[in-house]
C-alpha cells in the first residue's frame, strides 16, 4: 500500500518559478512506468497491438436547442462481433456526455476519472460547474501525457455550460478540436454523408434526433464494425436526456419497408389429367 | 537533522503558532493598505512613505496587476510580496491555459492563501510576512470583489478593509462611513495625504490615479470637512 506522504514534504523550492505545475491542475495520475529495457520499442509495440481501429460510429452536433449525441452499440474483435449492446455514450455528469471510440476500457476509465476527479472536485472547490472547454482541455492534457503508451481514445465531449452548448473532439494523440459537428469511428464517413447533407442549425429537437438516428443507421448499414442499437441523447440547458434507443435492424424496415410486389403470374394448380 | 529543524513553525503549549503571530506583527508595522468595494468599482489605496528625492518613485509601485481583471496591494515585507505576486501571476496564466478561462478573484485568493499556509507547515522556512488585499471582477458575472489574506493563510471577502499600520482606526472609519456606492472618496479620506490610489472598473481595468487627481480629491475632502466644521460651530455661536 502506498502511503500518502504529501503532508510531510518540505515546501517547494524558493528559487525557480517552474515548480508550480503540480497543483493538481495539470498533474497526470502517477502510474508507474513499465520496467522494460527498451521503453521506446515497447511504446511502438503497444501502439501496433492496439492499432487504433476504432470500429464504431459515434456522432454529435450542436444546433439551436443544444447538442445531439448518438452512437451505435457494436463491439468487434476483428471479424468477431463480441457484443451488440455496448453503452458508447458515457454519462460524465448530469450535464456532460462523452462518446466512446477506440479502446472501451480506456474510454470508460478516463471518462469516469474526468467526471469524478476533475469535474466534481472542481465544482466542490470553486462552487460552480466546470465549463465544457475546461473539462475537455484537462482530458486532452491527461491523454497527451500518456502519448505513445498505447491509449486508444477518440471521444467527443458534449455539454451545456454557462456559455451555452459546447462540443469538443479529444483523442489519445492529445489532439483537441472545437466544432459544430463531429463523427468518430470506422462508420464515420457514412454518418458524415447523411449528417452534413441534412444538417440545419435551426432544427427542432425531434428533427435533430431523427437526423442523428438516420445517420447512425446508414453507417451501421454499410460498415461491418458498427451495428446493434442506435442510441440518441440530447443535451439541453437542464442537462442530458436519452431520447431513444432503436435496434438498427428494425430501423431498416422502418426506412425501407417491404412492399408486397404484385405477382404477374400465379402458379395454378393443374388438374390431374 | 537537528540543526535543520530549528527554523520551523511549531505549536506552543497553549496552542499558538508564534512564527505566524510574529509575521502578523511585521504586517502591523508595514505601510497601510486600504480597499473598498462598490457596486461597479473597486478601489485600492496604499500609504506611500515620503519618497527620497533621488529615488525614481515610478519603480516603487505598491499596487500591482495579477491579470487584466485582478489587482493586489499588500502590507508587510515587500520582498516576500514580490515572490508571492510572481507565483500568483504564473497561476493566473496557468489557469487560463488549462481551462481557457480567466481566474475568479476567489480562486486566486485561495491559491495565494494556500501558498501562505504551506509555508507555516513546512520545515526550514518561515511564513510570508505580509497580508494582501486582492480586488477584481468575476470574468462572467462582472461582480466586483475584495478579499484579504494574512500570514496564517486564512482569507475572507470584505466590503471594505484595511491592513498594515493604523489598520484598526482606518477600519473603524470605514465601518462608520461605508456606503455601497463609488468608494474612491472613502479610500482617500481614510488614507491621508501620501497615498497611492488605483481604481478598477469592469471595462477599463486597473487605473492608477495621477498625483494631480489625488490632490484634487484631497482638496475636495478638506473643503467638505471644513464646511462641516463651520456648520457645527455656526449655530452654537448664534445661541
Amino acid at each position: 500500500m502506498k502511503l500518502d506522504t504529501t503532508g510531510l514534504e518540505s515546501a517547494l523550492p524558493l528559487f525557480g518559478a517552474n515548480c508550480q505545475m503540480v497543483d493538481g491542475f495539470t498533474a497526470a495520475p502517477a502510474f508507474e512506468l513499465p520496467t522494460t529495457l527498451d521503453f521506446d520499442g515497447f511504446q511502438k509495440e503497444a501502439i501496433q497491438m492496439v492499432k487504433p481501429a476504432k470500429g464504431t460510429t459515434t456522432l454529435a452536433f450542436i444546433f439551436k436547442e443544444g447538442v445531439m449525441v448518438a452512437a451505435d452499440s457494436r463491439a468487434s474483435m476483428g471479424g468477431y462481433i463480441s457484443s451488440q449492446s455496448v453503452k458508447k455514450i458515457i454519462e460524465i455528469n448530469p450535464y456532460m456526455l462523452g462518446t466512446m471510440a477506440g479502446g472501451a476500457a480506456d474510454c470508460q476509465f478516463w471518462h469516469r476519472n474526468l467526471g469524478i476527479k476533475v469535474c466534481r472536485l472542481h465544482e466542490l472547490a470553486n462552487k460552480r460547474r466546470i465549463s465544457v472547454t475546461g473539462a475537455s482541455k484537462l482530458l486532452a492534457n491527461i491523454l497527451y501525457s500518456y502519448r505513445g503508451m498505447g491509449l486508444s481514445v477518440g471521444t467527443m465531449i458534449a455539454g451545456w455550460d454557462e456559455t451555452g452548448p459546447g462540443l469538443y473532439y479529444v483523442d489519445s494523440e492529445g489532439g483537441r478540436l472545437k466544432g459544430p459537428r463531429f463523427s468518430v469511428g470506422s462508420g464515420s464517413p457514412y454518418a458524415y454523408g447523411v449528417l452534413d447533407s441534412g444538417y440545419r442549425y435551426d432544427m427542432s429537437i425531434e428533427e435533430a434526433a431523427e437526423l442523428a438516428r438516420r445517420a447512425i443507421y446508414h453507417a451501421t448499414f454499410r460498415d461491418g464494425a458498427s451495428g446493434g442499437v442506435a442510441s440518441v441523447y440530447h443535451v439541453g440547458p437542464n442537462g442530458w436526456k436519452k431520447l431513444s434507443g432503436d435496434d438498427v435492424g428494425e430501423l431498416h424496415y422502418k426506412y425501407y419497408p417491404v412492399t408486397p410486389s404484385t405477382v404477374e403470374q400465379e402458379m395454378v394448380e393443374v388438374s390431374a389429367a | 537533522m537537528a540543526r535543520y529543524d530549528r527554523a520551523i513553525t511549531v505549536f506552543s503549549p497553549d496552542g499558538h503558532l508564534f512564527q505566524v503571530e510574529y509575521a502578523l506583527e511585521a504586517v502591523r508595522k508595514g505601510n497601510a493598505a486600504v480597499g473598498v468595494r462598490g457596486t461597479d468599482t473597486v478601489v485600492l489605496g496604499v500609504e506611500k512613505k515620503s519618497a527620497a528625492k533621488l529615488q525614481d518613485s515610478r519603480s516603487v509601485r505598491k499596487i500591482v496587476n495579477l491579470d487584466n481583471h485582478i489587482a493586489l496591494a499588500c502590507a508587510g515585507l515587500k520582498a516576500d510580496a514580490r515572490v508571492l505576486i510572481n507565483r500568483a501571476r504564473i497561476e493566473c496564466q496557468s489557469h487560463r491555459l488549462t481551462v481557457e478561462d480567466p481566474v475568479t478573484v476567489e480562486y486566486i485568493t485561495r491559491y495565494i492563501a494556500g501558498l501562505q499556509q504551506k509555508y507555516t507547515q513546512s520545515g526550514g522556512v518561515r511564513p510570508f510576512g505580509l497580508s494582501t488585499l486582492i480586488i477584481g471582477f468575476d470574468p462572467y458575472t462582472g461582480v466586483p470583489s475584495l478579499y484579504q489574506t494574512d500570514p496564517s493563510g486564512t482569507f475572507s471577502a470584505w466590503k471594505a478593509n484595511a491592513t498594515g499600520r493604523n489598520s484598526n482606526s482606518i477600519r473603524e472609519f470605514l465601518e462608520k462611513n461605508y456606503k455601497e456606492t463609488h468608494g474612491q472618496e472613502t479610500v482617500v479620506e481614510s488614507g491621508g495625504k501620501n497615498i497611492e490610489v488605483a481604481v478598477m472598473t469592469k471595462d477599463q481595468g486597473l487605473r492608477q490615479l495621477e498625483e494631480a487627481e489625488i490632490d484634487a480629491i484631497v482638496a475636495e475632502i478638506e473643503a467638505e470637512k471644513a464646511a462641516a466644521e463651520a456648520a457645527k460651530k455656526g449655530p452654537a455661536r448664534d445661541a
Side-chain angles (χ1 to χ4, degrees):
Chain A
M1 190 185 79
K2 197 164 191 296
L3 299 171
D4 180 358
T5 52
T6 48
L8 299 173
E9 276 161 16
S10 66
L12 299 167
L14 301 173
F15 313 105
N18 48 3
C19 46
Q20 278 65 248
M21 298 310 186
V22 282
D23 250 346
F25 240 123
T26 48
F31 285 156
E32 287 170 22
L33 293 180
T35 48
T36 57
L37 293 167
D38 173 24
F39 187 56
D40 286 333
F42 168 80
Q43 286 191 3
K44 250 199 234 165
E45 278 181 46
I47 294 170
Q48 293 294 357
M49 187 184 77
V50 174
K51 247 322 162 38
K54 304 208 178 101
T56 186
T57 310
T58 59
L59 62 85
F61 58 89
I62 293 182
F63 68 114
K64 188 181 56 158
E65 307 276 354
V67 197
M68 201 56 83
V69 185
D72 74 314
S73 68
R74 176 175 289 183
S76 48
M77 284 154 55
Y80 172 69
I81 297 177
S82 44
S83 170
Q84 288 273 62
S85 51
V86 176
K87 274 193 69 168
K88 296 194 188 175
I89 296 180
I90 298 157
E91 296 145 12
I92 297 172
N93 61 37
Y95 60 102
M96 242 195 272
L97 292 175
T99 59
M100 180 198 295
D106 290 339
C107 290
Q108 275 180 4
F109 176 85
W110 287 111
H111 280 130
R112 283 201 78 204
N113 184 288
L114 186 71
I116 304 292
K117 286 252 198 81
V118 178
C119 297
R120 184 68 183 134
L121 279 183
H122 180 104
E123 263 181 52
L124 289 170
N126 295 292
K127 292 182 220 152
R128 72 208 288 183
R129 285 178 170 172
I130 193 172
S131 60
V132 183
T133 313
S136 61
K137 187 88 174 248
L138 292 167
L139 178 66
N141 286 344
I142 292 173
L143 293 178
Y144 180 78
S145 65
Y146 287 98
R147 195 175 136 89
M149 297 195 213
L151 283 185
S152 172
V153 172
T155 182
M156 294 177 284
I157 305 291
W160 188 293
D161 59 30
E162 277 172 4
T163 60
L167 177 61
Y168 287 84
Y169 164 75
V170 177
D171 68 22
S172 46
E173 312 298 298
R176 174 173 167 268
L177 297 172
K178 181 175 156 90
R181 294 192 299 285
F182 285 112
S183 176
V184 181
S186 54
S188 62
Y190 312 109
Y192 270 130
V194 174
L195 178 59
D196 287 339
S197 63
Y199 175 81
R200 275 175 308 115
Y201 180 75
D202 51 355
M203 286 186 283
S204 69
I205 297 180
E206 291 77 33
E207 287 175 319
E210 185 53 29
L211 178 66
R213 203 174 297 124
R214 255 188 334 116
I216 295 287
Y217 157 73
H218 279 101
T220 60
F221 187 65
R222 289 293 177 182
D223 176 35
S226 304
V229 168
S231 316
V232 181
Y233 282 66
H234 171 247
V235 188
N238 298 324
W240 58 259
K241 183 161 180 271
K242 179 163 183 180
L243 294 181
S244 65
D246 302 294
D247 184 295
V248 295
E250 283 166 27
L251 280 181
H252 173 85
Y253 290 111
K254 199 176 86 158
Y255 293 133
Y256 303 106
V258 177
T259 46
S261 47
T262 49
V263 182
E264 284 166 7
Q265 220 183 26
E266 268 201 35
M267 288 212 317
V268 184
E269 244 193 67
V270 176
S271 45
Chain B
M1 269 311 210
R3 250 173 299 163
Y4 172 86
D5 285 337
R6 205 157 29 158
I8 47 173
T9 312
V10 286
F11 279 114
S12 69
D14 56 348
H16 293 260
L17 285 172
F18 280 122
Q19 283 299 305
V20 175
E21 297 190 4
Y22 299 156
L24 280 159
E25 203 38 54
V27 169
R28 249 172 258 135
K29 291 199 162 46
N31 290 331
V34 186
V36 179
R37 182 196 82 194
T39 44
D40 60 353
T41 323
V42 216
V43 187
L44 276 179
V46 180
E47 183 190 345
K48 238 190 332 195
K49 62 177 193 281
S50 38
K53 284 211 190 95
L54 293 173
Q55 189 181 55
D56 186 350
S57 56
R58 277 171 302 146
S59 70
V60 197
R61 276 271 163 259
K62 302 258 178 85
I63 302 174
V64 294
N65 260 334
L66 294 184
D67 202 342
N68 293 336
H69 61 302
I70 311 248
L72 176 147
C74 54
L77 269 50
K78 293 297 184 248
D80 288 2
R82 215 174 44 236
V83 171
L84 214 52
I85 289 166
N86 278 336
R87 299 272 273 277
R89 282 173 170 162
I90 291 174
E91 180 61 24
C92 284
Q93 297 312 307
S94 175
H95 187 273
R96 273 183 189 261
L97 179 60
T98 47
V99 291
E100 291 184 9
D101 241 352
V103 293
T104 57
V105 193
E106 202 251 337
Y107 177 88
I108 197 63
T109 307
R110 201 160 10 106
Y111 175 80
I112 291 174
L115 211 48
Q116 286 179 297
Q117 191 279 340
K118 228 185 281 212
Y119 281 67
T120 67
Q121 208 176 7
S122 306
V125 295
R126 60 162 176 81
F128 286 97
L130 68 146
S131 293
T132 68
L133 285 173
I134 301 165
I135 61 167
F137 287 85
D138 185 296
Y140 276 119
T141 61
V143 171
S145 324
L146 165 67
Y147 282 86
Q148 188 210 26
T149 72
D150 62 29
S152 64
T154 54
F155 72 94
S156 49
W158 293 76
K159 294 182 196 158
N161 200 2
T163 174
R165 227 197 312 262
N166 297 329
S167 56
N168 281 330
S169 38
I170 300 179
R171 210 174 296 127
E172 270 178 36
F173 176 87
L174 289 170
E175 276 175 26
K176 255 192 289 184
N177 294 314
Y178 178 74
K179 272 184 308 229
E180 194 96 23
T181 50
H182 191 157
Q184 215 167 287
E185 289 86 36
T186 320
V187 171
V188 179
E189 229 184 304
S190 52
K193 290 223 180 77
N194 271 337
I195 183 170
E196 187 183 309
V197 181
V199 180
M200 180 178 268
T201 49
K202 189 159 55 127
D203 313 307
Q204 294 163 11
L206 190 71
R207 192 172 65 88
Q208 303 263 14
L209 295 186
E210 301 289 320
E211 273 195 36
E213 286 178 274
I214 299 177
D215 287 338
I217 297 179
V218 171
E220 205 183 297
I221 293 170
E222 309 252 284
E224 276 177 27
K225 260 201 252 180
E229 289 288 321
K232 259 193 282 176
K233 284 204 191 110
R237 229 185 258 151
D238 288 347

